[in-house]
Amino acid sequence: MRVKMLWAVTLMAALGVILLPASALSVAEIHEHEGLADYDSRSGKIAPTSAQRAHARRLVGNTRVRWNRFGTPSSIVRHGKFLARGVHAKSAPVAAKWYLNRHKALFGLRSLDGLVLDSATRLIGSNGYAVNFRQVFKGVPTSESGLVTVGVVGSRARGWRVATVSSSLTKATNLAPTVKLSAADGWARAARASRLNRSVLNILTQKRVGGWTRLGVAGLDSPQTVRLVAFPTVREGLLPAYEALVVDGKAGKAYRSFVDARNGRLLARQNLVHHAAS
């Protein structure tokens, strides 16, 4: 049962949703393994440019912009009012991208060429949509940042209104080209960073599933997954990295880790069991 639960947590992490209600795991299972703390190698922050700040000042009314560590808006809100009204577009994603394109200078972007629609979810019981775009560089998607969500309300017939914007976009544009590790190597480095005693020699099977590689590993009941991503940093730009989901159901461990695809250095780690319990 524990294996199934931890694999469910892992699947949710692969879909980009790591916050689950506490009921998803029993209290005993949560506290049986306190595990390793979350880790993020990134420090410092990039300031928005004077041009970005000037664009923010020109926004209508009492629009408020908050900035993230990459020097792009973490949120854009206009309390009590919409950011834009009367947007004529055939769909919510088109309306959302119209707004982002109109204000690309606010994000420090020259174009939206690297922005790919990730999902458009209709909110239950309303005509509102959460539209998510992800930055993709040379065919490699970003992970652990590089996302923007636009809240859009309305319809094609009556026009669209833009309610909110939140993002973790990066202004970096160049992905470091060198990848020296294989996907299996990347997972093995992540397993080591999770204090799991496994190496590439323990990997028995590999299978491509979507953009992920699913691994069968000796001694682990749960499938392990790994994929190549672009990892935004503050000081080094975009790094090629492996996002690895390391799960040991018997020990009650589940981690989502990012390791540098050039040298195996740990870039970030999330304890998924802790996130599930929060």
Side-chain angles (χ1 to χ4, degrees):
M1 184 67 173
R2 177 183 302 150
V3 172
K4 291 182 179 179
M5 288 180 174
L6 283 173
W7 176 238
V9 173
T10 307
L11 177 60
M12 294 298 287
L15 294 174
V17 182
I18 62 171
L19 297 179
L20 300 180
S23 59
L25 292 171
S26 74
V27 174
E29 288 168 332
I30 290 171
H31 295 288
E32 181 178 334
H33 171 67
E34 290 298 328
L36 302 172
D38 289 356
Y39 169 78
D40 194 327
S41 64
R42 296 170 292 189
S43 61
K45 61 188 303 184
I46 300 171
T49 65
S50 57
Q52 287 176 274
R53 292 188 184 278
H55 192 105
R57 289 192 294 270
R58 291 195 297 269
L59 295 174
V60 296
N62 61 340
T63 301
R64 186 169 184 177
V65 178
R66 295 184 182 275
W67 306 96
N68 60 36
R69 71 169 83 183
F70 304 111
T72 65
S74 62
S75 66
I76 309 172
V77 295
R78 190 181 179 203
H79 296 294
K81 295 184 179 180
F82 290 99
L83 297 173
R85 304 175 68 96
V87 180
H88 297 290
K90 64 181 181 180
S91 65
V94 175
K97 199 158 189 178
W98 172 88
Y99 183 85
L100 294 176
N101 188 62
R102 182 180 176 86
H103 298 289
K104 59 180 179 289
L106 182 63
F107 292 87
L109 302 175
R110 293 184 178 181
S111 75
L112 302 185
D113 290 345
L115 214 56
V116 176
L117 179 64
D118 194 66
S119 64
T121 304
R122 184 167 184 172
L123 305 180
I124 297 175
S126 76
N127 60 346
Y129 293 80
V131 183
N132 298 296
F133 295 94
R134 182 182 299 277
Q135 288 177 301
V136 177
F137 299 92
K138 299 179 181 179
V140 180
T142 53
S143 190
E144 193 55 23
S145 303
L147 285 169
V148 59
T149 300
V150 184
V152 180
V153 180
S155 65
R156 179 176 182 177
R158 297 185 178 183
W160 302 94
R161 293 162 289 173
V162 178
T164 62
V165 178
S166 61
S167 93
S168 58
L169 295 181
T170 174
K171 292 184 285 187
T173 56
N174 294 319
L175 176 63
T178 305
V179 174
K180 293 186 176 180
L181 302 180
S182 67
D185 289 326
W187 180 87
R189 295 296 184 100
R192 185 184 307 171
S194 303
R195 297 182 185 173
L196 183 64
N197 186 26
R198 294 293 188 280
S199 72
V200 291
L201 299 178
N202 300 116
I203 296 175
L204 306 177
T205 61
Q206 299 187 44
K207 181 180 179 180
R208 291 283 293 179
V209 181
W212 295 80
T213 297
R214 182 177 294 179
L215 307 174
V217 180
L220 298 179
D221 294 333
S222 303
Q224 313 297 307
T225 52
V226 61
R227 66 171 178 171
L228 183 67
V229 297
F231 185 86
T233 69
V234 174
R235 292 184 166 81
E236 301 177 82
L238 289 161
L239 300 182
Y242 282 111
E243 177 182 1
L245 303 177
V246 178
V247 182
D248 184 351
K250 294 179 180 178
K253 299 179 181 180
Y255 295 99
R256 179 189 187 208
S257 297
F258 298 85
V259 297
D260 196 317
R262 304 168 301 174
N263 51 35
R265 173 172 62 105
L266 179 65
L267 299 172
R269 178 185 60 224
Q270 294 173 329
N271 186 326
L272 298 179
V273 176
H274 284 183
H275 280 282
S278 62

